[in-house]
Amino acid sequence: MQYLIQLLISGLAIGAIYGLIAMGFAVIYKSTGLVNFAQGEMTMITAYIAWTISTTVSGNVFVVALGAILAAVVLGLVIERVVMRPMLGEPVFATVMVTIGLAVILRSSINFIWDAYPHGLDVGVGRTIVRIGSIGVRTGQIAVIATLLALLAAIWAFFRYSKIGVAMRAVAADDRTALLMGISATRVHALAWAASSVIAGIGGVFFALSYDLSPAMFQLGLKAFPATILGGLDAVIGSGLGGLLIGITENLAGGYVGSGMKEVAGFAMIIVVLMIRPFGIFGERDIERV
Amino acid sequence: MRTGDFKQTYGELVTLVDSPPVWLWSAVLVAGLVVAPFVLNSYALSFLMIILITVVGALGLNILTGYTGLISLGHVGFLVTGAYAYAVLVSKYHMHPLVGFLGAGVVPALASLIVGAPSLRLKGLYLAITTLAFSFIINTVILEARWLTSGARGIPVQRPEIFGFSFDSDAAFTYLCLGFAILTLFATLNIRRSRVGRAFVAIRDNDTAARVMGINLHAYKLFAFVTSAFITGLAGALYGIYLSFVSVEGFPFLLSIEALAILIVGGLGSALGAVLGTILIVLLPEATRLVFSLFSAQMDAMFTTGAQELKSMLYGLVIILFLRFQPRGLVGAWHDIRRMWVNWPLRY
């Protein structure tokens, strides 16, 4: 029983990180209609920048957090402006391939700018172990679950009530009509890239806090992928919850079946999900008319 | 005056080559390739081998992604399956190499049925995702099935000996690769002009219209999957023999990206494009290294230390630049040049 609870809690913690990155996928898909295969790499770069700030400038938690968020915003905006905007109006295949090319470039630039060794992000918090009953949990793990839940609520409110959120939904639903209504599609796209970069970046920083950062971190993107498929590519909230589900599944499979299963549990799950509900649990079924 | 390259009859549309001189040039090229192993040093020869092996794999992916328009991000899965099928049959159970090659084609083809059949309902991105998932699952299966694949230790593979003729030397093995490359080229060109190939292209261009015209989407998509996996598996077997060692690490995920880069750079859906793209992508890191070393020894040193990173960075950059500025690839550029030549000084 205790083993099960331990697995569930660590599953929720890693699942919350997947959820954050999956929300990054969904924000971009929802407003631009493309899957950003470079999401994991953007997450990794934000985490590395946070690490650089913590070791070279200041180890203060707030300085590191602020610096990482700013860096993520700049990263998202630059990628949108330099790489993605010229591809506006091109077929989906071309734009998706561009994000794959971008992913390859970002991944190898990590080894170039930093190095290939794992590092610990130590800002003085997050690694202390709290005992709940007989189960030990890291504060960082509790913090990431809380952050995910808070962000889910914030994003729900943002899309529901704020003017920009409604504009983003409008662009996603029908960009031409949105343009006619006076919404700047490019501005919405830029905002989506920045937001996605920040949300996923937060996930990356939390991952570095609880575990270590290494050039293999881009695999977080691949792991978060099943989460966003499960929740629905166009469902931001659903993707966050999908992350929790994938995290738990993965940990249970790893704990009870075998370590090999842990790696592929998520992928096996999305193949099944895609067969039954290709649009995900919370996604909208788009009807194709002939 | 001839103002362009027009097809006037149905027969012209389905010929193997555009005009008789193409046969002559192809013959010259093949003759050059036959002589090459005697002239080239072993360093250059290794590039020739890699190019020939990669052409086979690129042509295989071209059937699925280029002709039928189904994006696969997991072709490295078929590649590694083919390599393992060959290694297990020949190295472990000491079967005849030809049986090994047959297995290297058939096993991935069967695997493609497993991944292809459930993927038929999916299109575009979703298919890319399931194929991506497939390539990760296949890696885990190989690592877990230790009784068959020796797990993470891998299987050493000898160069084959077929009917008393040993392909042990580099030159002989190059001929084997050349044989496979030419056969694959002919096979895919013929598939393209046959009823099946035209159905593939119809599905790519507009699947609804294709279905209205009586094309069975499921059957043809599955067929594209199976043929593509068969050819890719053969390439995998050749690559395994070239490495003389088959392991999961020998087939990194980057190969899937490289394969797509080849198709994009060459020109999607064209056999000539797959060949040109292969040559460019395989030689690109080497060519860049040469250019860098011209500038300074320092840059050359940077290249040797970070070779792997620079190589993948180049692939990424090339994909982005081609999609941005020349989405039709090298074949498109060649068509533009040819038209310019015919029409000069007029633009059209």
Side-chain angles (χ1 to χ4, degrees):
Chain A
M1 189 61 195
Q2 196 189 338
Y3 183 54
L4 177 70
I5 294 174
Q6 188 78 56
L7 283 180
L8 281 179
I9 290 181
S10 52
L12 274 178
I14 188 79
I17 292 170
Y18 295 159
L20 287 168
I21 302 170
M23 279 159 75
F25 276 115
V27 166
I28 287 184
Y29 186 84
K30 197 170 170 64
S31 43
T32 65
L34 68 97
V35 174
N36 173 24
F37 277 96
Q39 196 76 57
E41 282 74 5
M42 288 166 67
T43 307
M44 176 163 71
I45 287 200
T46 309
Y48 264 88
I49 291 174
W51 176 70
T52 309
I53 295 172
S54 79
T55 51
T56 53
V57 186
S58 153
N60 187 307
V61 188
F62 296 103
V63 176
V64 172
L66 195 71
I69 288 176
L70 276 179
V73 168
V74 171
L75 180 72
L77 288 179
V78 166
I79 289 177
E80 197 277 333
R81 185 69 195 87
V82 177
V83 186
M84 300 316 296
R85 196 174 297 177
M87 298 301 294
L88 262 183
E90 297 283 329
V92 178
F93 173 75
T95 40
V96 168
M97 281 308 298
V98 164
T99 66
I100 291 178
L102 183 68
V104 175
I105 294 177
L106 292 180
R107 195 182 308 165
S108 32
S109 61
I110 284 283
N111 281 347
F112 241 41
I113 303 172
W114 289 279
D115 52 30
Y117 306 104
H119 300 283
L121 177 65
D122 187 14
V123 286
V125 293
R127 298 221 172 187
T128 26
I129 292 174
V130 183
R131 295 222 154 258
I132 306 170
S134 53
I135 296 151
V137 191
R138 283 185 179 170
T139 43
Q141 293 182 311
I142 300 173
V144 66
I145 299 172
T147 310
L148 176 73
L149 294 178
L151 261 174
L152 281 177
I155 284 179
W156 179 79
F158 172 76
F159 275 120
R160 183 79 180 72
Y161 295 113
S162 85
K163 210 169 168 184
I164 312 168
V166 175
M168 282 173 91
R169 276 185 16 220
V171 171
D174 187 343
D175 51 355
R176 275 188 206 186
T177 316
L179 276 173
L180 285 174
M181 302 304 245
I183 296 169
S184 159
T186 47
R187 205 176 292 168
V188 166
H189 284 190
L191 183 70
W193 274 86
S196 147
S197 175
V198 169
I199 298 171
I202 292 173
V205 172
F206 269 113
F207 181 84
L209 266 181
S210 305
Y211 311 92
D212 274 336
L213 41 94
S214 75
M217 252 180 84
F218 72 87
Q219 287 173 350
L220 279 181
L222 298 176
K223 289 291 194 67
F225 219 104
T228 191
I229 297 291
L230 188 66
L233 262 175
D234 56 350
V236 182
I237 312 282
S239 296
L241 299 176
L244 294 178
L245 239 123
I246 291 280
I248 293 173
T249 316
E250 215 183 72
N251 250 27
L252 290 182
Y256 288 112
V257 187
S259 60
M261 261 320 280
K262 188 176 180 177
E263 301 298 315
V264 292
F267 288 118
M269 207 162 156
I270 53 167
I271 291 192
V272 175
V273 171
L274 285 176
M275 296 311 103
I276 305 165
R277 267 181 83 90
F279 38 87
I281 297 176
F282 302 98
E284 276 169 39
R285 182 202 293 264
D286 55 340
I287 298 159
E288 222 172 282
R289 291 199 178 82
V290 179
Chain B
M1 189 185 87
R2 203 175 99 128
T3 54
D5 189 14
F6 297 119
K7 308 268 199 294
Q8 284 166 326
T9 66
Y10 183 72
E12 284 174 30
L13 264 177
V14 294
T15 48
L16 200 55
V17 295
D18 282 347
S19 60
V22 176
W23 281 114
L24 181 71
W25 287 116
S26 308
V28 170
L29 179 68
V30 170
L33 284 172
V34 167
V35 179
F38 294 104
V39 188
L40 296 175
N41 59 14
S42 61
Y43 185 64
L45 198 58
S46 72
F47 277 106
L48 183 58
M49 272 188 274
I50 283 289
I51 287 176
L52 291 171
I53 295 170
T54 315
V55 160
V56 176
L59 287 169
L61 179 62
N62 193 35
I63 291 181
L64 192 67
T65 302
Y67 292 169
T68 325
L70 304 171
I71 309 174
S72 167
L73 279 174
H75 245 56
V76 72
F78 298 127
L79 208 64
V80 75
T81 319
Y84 263 99
Y86 181 87
V88 167
L89 284 172
V90 176
S91 294
K92 210 155 182 169
Y93 294 111
H94 306 291
M95 301 248 196
H96 194 273
L98 286 181
V99 180
F101 279 119
L102 189 67
V106 171
V107 176
L110 292 177
S112 79
L113 278 179
I114 298 172
V115 59
S119 307
L120 287 177
R121 290 178 55 200
L122 310 171
K123 281 204 295 195
L125 283 176
Y126 288 107
L127 183 74
I129 295 160
T130 38
T131 49
L132 178 83
F134 163 73
S135 82
F136 284 99
I137 291 174
I138 203 84
N139 271 5
T140 310
V141 169
I142 287 171
L143 287 175
E144 293 289 311
R146 283 184 205 90
W147 54 276
L148 188 67
T149 60
S150 320
R153 274 190 295 138
I155 306 174
V157 185
Q158 303 280 311
R159 297 255 171 106
E161 191 185 304
I162 300 173
F163 301 132
F165 188 81
S166 168
F167 287 100
D168 199 34
S169 72
D170 278 358
F173 186 58
T174 310
Y175 284 135
L176 185 68
C177 297
L178 181 63
F180 270 103
I182 291 176
L183 274 180
T184 318
L185 190 60
F186 264 102
T188 53
L189 279 176
N190 277 313
I191 287 175
R192 171 66 186 85
R193 68 193 184 122
S194 71
R195 178 190 171 81
V196 179
R198 281 175 283 125
F200 286 166
V201 175
I203 292 173
R204 176 191 71 190
D205 290 344
N206 190 331
D207 57 349
T208 311
R211 193 148 94 191
V212 171
M213 288 164 80
I215 292 168
N216 183 340
L217 288 189
H218 284 193
Y220 277 103
K221 280 184 180 175
L222 259 193
F223 189 69
F225 251 108
V226 170
T227 357
S228 171
F230 187 93
I231 295 173
T232 312
L234 287 178
L238 286 175
Y239 191 55
I241 298 170
Y242 170 79
L243 294 174
S244 74
F245 191 76
V246 174
S247 70
V248 173
E249 281 86 46
F251 295 82
F253 177 64
L254 187 67
L255 286 183
S256 281
I257 306 293
E258 195 185 320
L260 281 172
I262 285 172
L263 293 193
I264 290 170
V265 164
L268 263 177
S270 146
L272 175 65
V275 176
L276 291 179
T278 306
I279 295 171
L280 184 78
I281 288 285
V282 171
L283 295 183
L284 184 69
E286 186 63 14
T288 327
R289 194 184 67 82
L290 281 177
V291 173
F292 271 44
S293 64
L294 286 182
F295 284 113
S296 70
Q298 201 186 356
M299 284 179 115
D300 194 30
M302 189 174 91
F303 219 101
T304 29
T305 49
Q308 198 56 41
E309 280 75 52
L310 267 180
K311 198 172 145 183
S312 38
M313 237 188 237
L314 275 174
Y315 290 154
L317 202 64
V318 161
I319 291 180
I320 293 180
L321 291 180
F322 261 90
L323 282 169
R324 173 85 181 80
F325 297 107
Q326 183 57 268
R328 289 183 304 139
L330 289 173
V331 168
W334 165 241
H335 282 307
D336 288 349
I337 292 170
R338 205 166 56 176
R339 204 180 52 218
M340 208 166 73
W341 181 257
V342 171
N343 296 341
W344 195 85
L346 302 168
R347 282 191 66 199
Y348 295 105

